[in-house]
Amino acid sequence: MDIRLDGKTALITGGSDGLGLAMGLKFAESGASVILLARDKDRLNKAADLISDSVKGTQVRVEIISADVKDSEQINQAWKISKERFNQIDILVNNAGTHASGPFLDITDEMWQTDLDLKLFAAIRFSRLAMPEMISRKWGRIINVLSVAGKTPGASSAPTSVSRAAGMALTKVLSAEGGPDNVLVNALLVGLIRSGQHERRHKNTAPDKSFEEYISPIVKTLPLGRMGEAEEFANIACFLSSEAGSYITGCAINVDGGRSPVV
């Protein structure tokens, strides 16, 4: 199956590395122009160079915007810049986020608010900007990158599990409201996938171990017996963004190698 996104433009938050970079690369190789949004401008430049090199000689454009999605004003400014550089945004990927978790009684109001601003309100605010134009064109795709913890929250999994569960509810609401106008909204739930987040956590918590030793106890619990690769995640996102996924909306799809005990 040849999955193409020719002529489309995708805005990807958290686009400087990991899953965001992998999706940007896959989308661009499938013909879409890409806007990568994140805080770290140096990482963004490196990501943009990597993608640009992969599509050299094509009409695909790659742009970057440095912004903190926890800040509503920066979101509005980023959207304004996006519209100045491109006529329209066809695909929105709400991917920005980090894994924050701990015992419930240790989580302060500030920690709750930071997590909600980063993972839930950023998606709300970007979707609120994107949907009116998608509805008017009768075509749009929104993908919310969440976590399997949103379906199966355990002890010490807040605030992430709560933010991600709210993200699933948001996905369903938006899919029902966007459906009549061909605006498809889905969520992809991350399991154990190789990314910059895991590599940074490894360096911070177990620098004396190799990455393979550090991650081995979790890998052993996976039915597939291995970590997922960011490219495998990006393949699903690209499919959902294309016409090949034109009858899929309102779904929360586990991309986790079978890790989650629920479907």
Side-chain angles (χ1 to χ4, degrees), residues 8-260:
K8 304 299 185 185
T9 299
L11 171 62
I12 304 171
T13 70
S16 61
D17 63 7
L19 299 179
L21 171 56
M23 287 185 282
L25 186 61
K26 184 65 178 179
F27 286 9
E29 291 175 346
S30 299
S33 290
V34 176
I35 304 167
L36 304 176
L37 189 149
R39 289 178 297 176
D40 191 318
K41 197 163 187 179
D42 289 338
R43 282 185 187 170
L44 281 170
N45 281 319
K46 290 177 182 178
D49 288 343
L50 177 64
I51 295 173
S52 295
D53 287 344
S54 76
V55 293
K56 192 173 294 183
T58 72
Q59 298 299 311
V60 169
R61 293 170 54 196
V62 183
E63 299 280 350
I64 64 170
I65 299 175
S66 177
D68 185 348
V69 300
K70 297 192 300 296
D71 187 317
S72 61
E73 287 305 314
Q74 291 192 46
I75 287 176
N76 290 335
Q77 183 63 20
W79 186 259
K80 180 181 178 182
I81 293 170
S82 299
K83 293 303 302 296
E84 288 171 352
R85 296 180 184 177
F86 293 92
N87 183 47
Q88 63 189 47
I89 308 301
D90 305 287
I91 302 161
L92 169 64
V93 182
N94 292 308
N95 172 64
T98 59
H99 182 76
S101 62
F104 173 76
L105 294 179
D106 293 344
I107 304 171
T108 65
D109 282 1
E110 182 181 9
M111 293 164 67
W112 275 110
Q113 193 61 59
T114 296
D115 202 68
L116 290 167
D117 283 339
L118 176 62
K119 296 169 184 171
L120 178 61
F121 279 99
I124 289 171
R125 289 162 176 156
F126 271 112
S127 299
R128 190 164 54 204
L129 291 167
M131 281 192 73
E133 297 178 13
M134 292 179 176
I135 288 170
S136 70
R137 292 192 301 271
K138 305 295 183 183
W139 203 99
R141 303 287 190 268
I142 297 176
I143 295 176
N144 295 320
V145 178
L146 308 176
S147 164
V148 292
K151 287 186 178 179
T152 55
S156 298
S157 67
T160 285
S161 60
V162 177
S163 298
R164 293 319 197 186
M168 283 196 293
L170 175 66
T171 298
K172 201 64 176 178
V173 168
L174 297 183
S175 70
E177 296 190 14
D181 295 295
N182 195 36
V183 178
L184 310 185
V185 187
N186 291 288
L188 293 179
L189 277 59
V190 181
L192 186 65
I193 295 180
R194 192 182 302 272
S195 69
Q197 275 193 50
H198 286 298
E199 291 166 0
R200 288 189 290 273
R201 197 175 304 133
H202 161 236
K203 290 179 181 178
N204 291 334
T205 61
D208 55 321
K209 295 181 179 180
S210 70
F211 183 77
E212 287 68 26
E213 289 175 315
Y214 162 75
I215 210 72
S216 176
I218 305 177
V219 170
K220 289 177 181 177
T221 69
L222 300 177
L224 288 188
R226 64 174 179 85
M227 288 187 75
E229 299 296 333
E231 181 183 2
E232 294 176 295
F233 185 92
N235 288 339
I236 304 300
C238 190
F239 171 79
L240 291 175
S241 299
S242 74
E243 284 302 324
S246 59
Y247 201 60
I248 303 172
T249 194
C251 294
I253 301 170
N254 299 341
V255 189
D256 68 344
R259 182 182 188 185
S260 175

